[in-house]
Amino acid sequence: MDKVVLKLDDLEVMANKEDTILQAALDHGIYIPHLCYHPDLKPFGGCRLCVVEIEGRGLTISCKAPVEEGIAVRTEGPEIDKMRRVAAELLIVNHYSECLQCARNTDCKLQDIAAYIGIEEGRLQRLKRTARDLPLDDSNPFFIRDPNKCVLCGICVRTCEEINGVGAIDFAFRGLDTRISTLKDKPIVESRCESCGECVVRCPVGALVPQNMRKPEREVKSICPYCGTGCGIYLGIRGDKIVSARGDRDSVVNKGQLCVKGRFGYHFVNHPDRLTTPLIKRNGVFVEATWDEALDLVTAKFKEAQEKYGPEALAGLSSARVTNEENYLFQKLLRSLGTNSVDHCARL
Amino acid sequence: MTNPVSDVSGAGAILVTGSNPTENHPVIGYRIREAVRTGARLIVADPRRIPLVDVADVHLQFKPGTDIALFNGLAHVIIKEELEDKEYVENRTQGFKYLKQIVAKYTPEYVSAITGVPAKDIVTAARLFAQADSGAIVYCMGVTQHTCGTENVVALTNLSLLTGNLGKPHAGMNPLRGQNNVQGACDMGCLPNVFSGYQPVHSDRDTGTYWRRLTKERQLEQVGVGFIRPASPGETITSIEFNQPVPVDSVSDTIRAKFSRAWGVELSDVPGRTIAEMFHYFPHRRSRIMYIMGENPVLTSPQAELVREALEDMDFVVVQDIFLNETAQYADVVLPAASFAEKEGTFINTERRVQRIHRAIKPRGNSRPDWEILQELARRFGLNWNYSSPEDIWNEVRELTPHYFLGMTYERLEKEGGLQWPCPAIDHAGTPILHKGKFARGIGQFSTVEYRPQAADTSGGVTEEYPFILTTARKLYQYHTRTMTGKTDGLNYLLDEERMQINPRDVQALKLTPEDMVRVTSRRGSLETKIEITDCVPPGIVCMSFHFAEPRVNVITDPAVCNMSVASGVKVSAVRIEKI
Ligand code: SF4
Ligand code: SF4
Ligand code: FES
């Protein structure tokens, strides 16, 4: 990849030729406030928080400005500060402000921005508009859309268009009434939305949050147990419960993306219907048994049948949902017992 | 898949057939839509108007069961307009002249009459596919779940060979595997006739392979070109490509001897039963004892009644699963297994990538990982098994399946984000694209297949009495028989009942209203279902999923099997529909 050298404040940095100034800065650990930029998406240039100055040329939006050889960029300065302040205050006064009640508290881009720019409480009080009280859309069982927290960065709209190609949502209405909405402003569950949750993951604030969200205490890397795509996931664990799942951004298969099943379909693991003990059918009803009882019975019955009919009487169906190691052992066991009758439902 | 998933973006043209990726393999669906946004031409060949049709250049809406006619028709146009990749055909394939002869009669008009697809669309699609820099074919159960499933794949492969698309980036033949480890189950030898890595258990006698069914002349023709000689021991025995000769007896004898030695047991060379044969129609041909691990054949098998009856009739049934599913009800013993989140191991995805899973929580209650249960049983049978971890087992797999997995240590799998087989050495990078430069067997073989009209429902076809064709599909919000998705309330909320898809014109003709129940009757049975009125299905065709226990669509589907791969023909059944 071609490289160029530019100056960011007083730092000389090397960047990829295709990068924008914002990307180059973030890559080098230099924070420039930004809200509508997302690394997975095409730049939008809506929030204007990422403004910087290229020496000799004036102010520019850094998420859209490509790096160039030899340019010197200032990320701070009185004029920049003023522009950012205006943009940020406008967002904040229109934003629902009970941060403690928000699922995204401490993990919110707007909080980052406010902290960076420094918002004066007094000034904010004067500016504060009566909070708009728009209805929540909780029609989707997996996530809530709260227009009162939306900052109109358009990340969800672009995600739905650029990541999964569904195009379920768009900007609607004008001016102060601008909102993200489905076609004809229907509840999201009645739109063409596929419930993939990709927009929820990318929303920089609390406008799109999972229903009943609980933060995991640790994460474990795994593979989605559903279709054959084999998306990489991280299971979020709390105690001995799976409380979340997210796509593995390093996976070449799914690059962090997931579908509705792979993101939200894990209740089966901790479900009360899970089998937790061996069962033996006695007089038509299942009764609980110990492992020894169950396995001894299986062994005895298999042996009995083999004596009566020969090894061919035994057959096994393995599973497209257990591991390779287990599939391998399954056929090894059956064949070791003298039968090649082992199959699975690949054909069904 | 011959190519990696990531390859789809960047393809010049994509032909999607018998597959509904946006619902069944959603993330691959994202990739296809992404490819279209960046300029790929998309051809959808499917009897239904699947969501991808919205972004497709052409939709070839053929009548179910006429796939071969359609694919031969596309080949006809490509050859007639000389759009084939001449250099590739010349250097890397053989049998072109037979293909040319066979497809000569499949003119667009002739094919149009059989398939119902307008002749001009056939021409457009053929040109789009053949003229693109790279053409990927993506297919799924819609192609294989037919009585002529294997032949469908042959006809499709011909298109890929003809356009020089096997063995290069953004192209290839890409079957999408339905379940997360279906690929692994096959690769590990959970098939009657092969050990891990498709090493044959016995010669092909009585196993119904395609090879055996070729005419004597064709067999000779292929032997004549030296197909039978392996380039290396590994290479004879893959079944990546269809139409390879089944290895001669001595090969399977050697393989069996190898496994016998490694496992310390005598191994049988008697052909085993396939799933359909285990539940055979004639009781005396069935198995007597069944060990079912993580499967739910009572719901998934065509003609499910037969499976129930067979299970009831068996001497002893063991079910090992994470839930007491429908099949478990017929068990004598139920063994509780650990879920994917409760154990270590590997899965293999549809692009042949072996990937690690990790234990996130401990097994529920007294449940145990399947491998531990299997080992416990093996010991009770006096087998000397001493695995201390899944990694131990994997290392045995690697050793006995070197041509596929030798290079894949757990450490590498972890570090390199999975590896795609074949990966025969520790310094081998894995194989993202199969058949690059050269086919495993040296040369690509065109095989010729003819369209046979009886394909639609073997037991009599569409008649006045059974005027509709019923096809089956899966849906976005549920998965398989819902043993997993059915436990997530949100998914149930989004899709909580079966509704048979039916075209508005048929609804009108049958005088149905949206809330009506209908009775659907085939030659095998009947069921009652609600309906969904949609032009996703054309008139004359109805579609149901097999997700729900009620109505259970596989009570009425056609159990006739593909005579080559023994896959069931559940995709096409003739039915009658009545209002109730
Ligand atoms: S959940 Fe997925 S499909 Fe639905 S609006 Fe968000 S990105 Fe679009
Ligand atoms: S997340 Fe969706 S697309 Fe990916 S493997 Fe799971 S079910 Fe398949
Ligand atoms: S991040 Fe650049 S304008 Fe919003």
Side-chain angles (χ1 to χ4, degrees):
Chain A
M1 236 189 271
D2 283 350
K3 301 275 184 190
V4 298
V5 175
L6 69 156
K7 263 178 95 173
L8 287 173
D9 293 330
D10 292 328
L11 220 63
E12 203 151 84
V13 303
M14 185 137 60
N16 297 323
K17 216 171 154 201
E18 302 75 34
D19 283 356
T20 60
I21 294 176
L22 179 61
Q23 277 162 344
L26 295 175
D27 278 353
H28 288 85
I30 299 170
Y31 178 70
I32 297 176
H34 59 274
L35 198 56
C36 67
Y37 162 78
H38 192 283
D40 301 342
L41 305 171
K42 291 199 206 94
F44 175 57
C47 74
R48 313 192 76 79
L49 285 161
C50 66
V51 65
V52 294
E53 184 185 348
I54 302 178
E55 271 171 30
R57 291 195 213 164
L59 298 184
T60 184
I61 298 289
S62 67
C63 69
K64 283 194 131 177
V67 292
E68 284 172 53
E69 183 67 42
I71 55 171
V73 178
R74 301 242 132 254
T75 71
E76 278 274 55
E79 218 180 330
I80 296 175
D81 195 49
K82 199 168 130 205
M83 252 188 91
R84 284 189 188 147
R85 189 168 295 276
V86 171
E89 282 177 354
L90 209 65
L91 285 170
I92 293 164
V93 296
N94 282 317
H95 189 84
Y96 173 90
S97 60
E98 302 288 334
C99 284
L100 269 183
Q101 294 170 9
C102 179
R104 292 298 296 270
N105 189 22
T106 72
D107 178 26
C108 167
K109 283 257 167 76
L110 193 59
Q111 286 177 334
D112 292 349
I113 289 157
Y116 182 84
I117 295 174
I119 303 292
E120 294 157 37
E121 184 59 28
R123 197 170 137 72
L124 215 59
Q125 287 303 329
R126 264 176 284 140
L127 284 172
K128 189 84 193 164
R129 294 209 186 85
T130 36
R132 285 182 304 166
D133 221 348
L134 298 170
L136 298 188
D137 178 356
D138 61 358
S139 64
N140 189 294
F142 297 118
F143 57 87
I144 301 170
R145 300 169 66 232
D146 182 352
N148 304 302
K149 293 181 188 165
C150 175
V151 289
L152 297 174
C153 64
I155 286 178
C156 58
V157 175
R158 281 176 289 145
T159 297
C160 199
E161 188 64 48
E162 292 173 33
I163 298 293
N164 57 18
V166 175
I169 44 181
D170 205 346
F171 287 95
F173 311 105
R174 290 174 159 271
L176 272 179
D177 290 329
T178 307
R179 252 187 299 145
I180 308 295
S181 138
T182 62
L183 196 66
K184 299 201 186 121
D185 208 12
K186 286 207 195 117
I188 188 99
V189 81
E190 288 167 35
S191 74
R192 40 196 302 180
C193 167
E194 295 176 356
S195 309
C196 68
E198 288 293 329
C199 57
V200 181
V201 185
R202 288 184 182 75
C203 177
V205 296
L208 281 167
V209 289
Q211 298 249 21
N212 310 315
M213 182 169 117
R214 293 171 70 207
K215 278 193 187 154
E217 80 201 11
R218 63 192 166 98
E219 287 191 319
V220 178
K221 195 170 163 180
S222 195
I223 300 294
C224 172
Y226 288 103
C227 86
T229 307
C231 294
I233 54 171
Y234 279 93
L235 293 172
I237 311 296
R238 198 152 146 164
D240 67 348
K241 284 209 162 63
I242 297 178
V243 294
S244 67
R246 67 177 171 94
D248 175 3
R249 293 185 67 95
D250 295 328
S251 161
V252 287
V253 179
N254 56 314
K255 298 186 260 178
Q257 298 156 19
L258 294 175
C259 75
V260 58
K261 290 175 284 236
R263 191 183 306 286
F264 300 115
Y266 295 99
H267 291 76
F268 74 93
V269 175
N270 294 100
H271 198 275
D273 287 357
R274 277 287 298 276
L275 283 166
T276 53
T277 177
L279 302 172
I280 295 177
K281 199 180 261 165
R282 296 195 204 277
N283 305 323
V285 286
F286 283 119
V287 291
E288 296 192 353
T290 65
W291 274 104
D292 277 336
E293 284 166 356
L295 293 177
D296 286 344
L297 180 62
V298 172
T299 320
K301 285 290 183 178
F302 278 19
K303 283 186 179 154
E304 190 184 305
Q306 287 193 322
E307 264 151 41
K308 192 157 149 206
Y309 309 101
E312 299 307 311
L314 172 63
L317 282 181
S318 188
S319 173
R321 269 172 268 168
V322 307
T323 63
N324 294 321
E325 290 76 1
E326 292 160 340
N327 271 300
Y328 173 82
L329 286 194
F330 192 80
Q331 56 102 31
K332 178 173 175 177
L333 179 64
L334 276 259
R335 295 192 211 276
S336 297
L337 297 179
T339 176
N340 285 312
S341 297
V342 45
D343 205 348
H344 67 284
C345 82
R347 302 173 171 129
L348 292 169
Chain B
M1 290 169 79
T2 59
N3 288 54
V5 169
S6 56
D7 238 24
V8 172
S9 12
I14 304 171
L15 167 60
V16 175
T17 182
S19 166
N20 183 8
T22 55
E23 294 199 65
N24 300 332
H25 301 85
V27 169
I28 295 178
Y30 304 168
R31 291 288 172 280
I32 295 175
R33 288 183 184 138
E34 184 185 352
V36 171
R37 276 199 305 284
T38 51
R41 312 305 295 264
L42 178 63
I43 303 150
V44 174
D46 201 296
R48 295 196 305 145
R49 200 192 146 80
I50 58 170
L52 270 184
V53 170
D54 290 348
V55 292
D57 292 281
V58 235
H59 179 202
L60 307 172
Q61 196 166 19
F62 62 95
K63 292 194 192 111
T66 63
D67 316 51
I68 293 177
L70 180 68
F71 303 149
N72 279 353
L74 293 172
H76 173 98
V77 176
I78 292 171
I79 295 174
K80 175 149 172 269
E81 303 197 354
E82 298 191 22
L83 298 173
E84 74 271 16
D85 184 336
K86 295 203 183 57
E87 208 188 304
Y88 185 97
V89 169
E90 173 74 33
N91 297 334
R92 293 197 52 188
T93 69
Q94 64 180 5
F96 177 68
K97 80 169 189 275
Y98 300 108
L99 178 72
K100 196 168 167 178
Q101 275 168 20
I102 288 281
V103 302
K105 74 162 184 268
Y106 290 85
T107 61
E109 294 68 31
Y110 176 74
V111 173
S112 178
I114 297 171
T115 59
V117 177
K120 69 169 197 325
D121 289 352
I122 298 171
V123 177
T124 314
R127 288 182 187 154
L128 280 180
F129 189 74
Q131 286 170 342
D133 292 342
S134 55
I137 295 177
V138 173
Y139 66 99
C140 191
M141 292 297 199
V143 169
T144 52
Q145 273 186 347
H146 283 280
T147 48
C148 52
T150 308
E151 290 157 295
N152 287 347
V153 177
V154 169
L156 207 48
T157 310
N158 286 339
L159 291 177
S160 196
L161 281 174
L162 204 50
T163 49
N165 273 312
L166 271 178
K168 73 178 197 191
H170 309 299
M173 287 288 286
N174 303 293
L176 304 184
R177 312 303 309 251
Q179 303 187 58
N180 70 330
N181 205 30
V182 141
Q183 184 72 47
C186 296
D187 296 348
M188 288 304 115
C190 283
L191 292 167
N193 55 339
V194 289
F195 295 105
S196 54
Y198 305 97
Q199 307 178 74
V201 172
H202 48 67
S203 67
D204 65 320
R205 84 193 111 85
D206 294 322
T207 48
T209 60
Y210 179 59
W211 169 250
R212 223 176 74 84
R213 283 162 202 277
L214 285 179
T215 60
K216 263 279 154 315
E217 296 78 71
R218 293 287 312 286
Q219 288 188 4
L220 285 176
E221 188 186 309
Q222 298 195 5
V223 174
V225 293
F227 259 45
I228 234 100
R229 274 253 58 83
S232 77
E235 281 179 353
T236 27
I237 46 194
T238 74
S239 63
I240 301 163
E241 288 163 74
F242 174 67
N243 194 19
Q244 82 278 26
V246 166
V248 291
D249 283 17
S250 64
V251 173
S252 60
D253 286 347
T254 318
I255 303 257
R256 233 179 20 259
K258 170 175 100 173
F259 279 94
S260 275
R261 241 186 347 265
W263 294 354
V265 287
E266 268 311 304
L267 290 170
S268 157
D269 67 344
V270 180
R273 291 182 171 92
T274 63
I275 181 167
E277 290 158 344
M278 295 173 192
F279 303 111
H280 201 279
Y281 182 75
F282 295 117
H284 65 278
R285 294 186 59 180
R286 293 175 191 155
S287 315
R288 298 307 314 162
I289 294 236
M290 282 292 292
Y291 184 2
I292 303 175
M293 172 173 81
E295 282 284 329
N296 197 3
V298 164
L299 283 199
T300 54
S301 285
Q303 217 178 3
E305 278 313 312
L306 187 62
V307 173
R308 274 169 191 261
E309 185 201 308
L311 283 173
E312 265 172 359
D313 168 56
M314 279 177 195
D315 289 30
F316 196 69
V317 177
V318 182
V319 167
Q320 180 169 317
D321 213 301
I322 61 174
F323 291 110
L324 202 64
N325 63 23
E326 289 77 1
T327 302
Q329 311 292 346
Y330 296 85
D332 296 288
V333 169
V334 177
L335 304 174
S339 79
F340 85 107
E342 295 148 21
K343 61 193 178 191
E344 300 285 326
T346 55
F347 287 148
I348 305 182
N349 77 351
T350 191
E351 50 163 23
R352 298 169 282 107
R353 183 182 301 278
V354 181
Q355 308 191 93
R356 286 276 281 117
I357 59 163
H358 295 286
R359 177 174 147 135
I361 52 177
K362 62 177 196 310
R364 307 292 81 193
N366 285 325
S367 69
R368 291 188 189 177
D370 296 272
W371 69 269
E372 284 183 31
I373 305 174
L374 289 163
Q375 170 147 297
E376 279 294 323
L377 270 176
R379 286 182 177 158
R380 281 177 160 74
F381 286 107
L383 298 166
N384 183 25
W385 288 19
N386 294 302
Y387 304 106
S388 62
S389 68
E391 186 168 10
D392 270 1
I393 306 167
W394 180 248
N395 286 337
E396 179 175 318
V397 174
R398 288 174 50 221
E399 227 160 87
L400 292 173
T401 327
H403 56 300
Y404 271 57
F405 304 115
L406 187 65
M408 297 184 181
T409 59
Y410 263 23
E411 197 190 333
R412 278 192 75 193
L413 292 175
E414 192 71 64
K415 219 171 45 212
E416 298 175 41
L419 286 162
Q420 287 168 280
W421 62 248
C423 178
I426 211 78
D427 56 359
H428 191 287
T431 311
I433 300 176
L434 289 178
H435 317 306
K436 228 174 169 174
K438 177 168 160 297
F439 288 96
R441 254 150 308 287
I443 205 140
Q445 174 73 34
F446 283 110
S447 304
T448 50
V449 284
E450 290 263 22
Y451 165 69
R452 290 174 292 132
Q454 70 274 28
D457 202 320
T458 43
S459 46
V462 174
T463 55
E464 232 168 79
E465 202 183 341
Y466 300 102
F468 285 90
I469 292 179
L470 168 74
T471 180
T472 58
R474 310 187 203 203
K475 296 189 172 162
L476 175 65
Y477 292 121
Q478 292 293 353
Y479 175 78
H480 222 66
T481 57
R482 296 175 60 244
T483 44
M484 291 151 71
T485 48
K487 306 288 187 299
T488 294
D489 294 343
L491 293 170
N492 290 335
Y493 177 83
L494 291 166
L495 182 73
D496 64 342
E497 59 181 6
E498 176 61 25
R499 285 184 177 261
M500 180 183 77
Q501 296 181 323
I502 181 169
N503 187 276
R505 290 236 302 267
D506 292 332
V507 169
Q508 221 172 15
L510 292 167
K511 302 202 172 52
L512 300 174
T513 62
E515 286 317 311
D516 277 342
M517 292 282 285
V518 291
R519 177 172 297 111
V520 187
T521 312
S522 78
R523 293 184 178 87
R524 290 155 293 272
S526 106
L527 56 76
E528 293 172 6
T529 176
K530 294 189 178 173
I531 56 170
E532 175 192 347
I533 304 172
T534 168
D535 61 3
C536 166
V537 286
I541 294 171
V542 291
C543 178
M544 291 182 71
S545 80
F546 63 86
H547 297 309
F548 294 90
E550 275 312 318
R552 187 150 28 111
V553 67
N554 284 332
V555 168
I556 62 174
T557 48
D558 185 1
V561 293
C562 163
N563 46 19
M564 295 168 190
S565 78
V566 213
S568 301
V570 296
K571 282 292 172 198
V572 189
S573 309
V575 295
R576 164 174 80 230
I577 295 168
E578 295 143 313
K579 177 174 170 166
I580 39 178

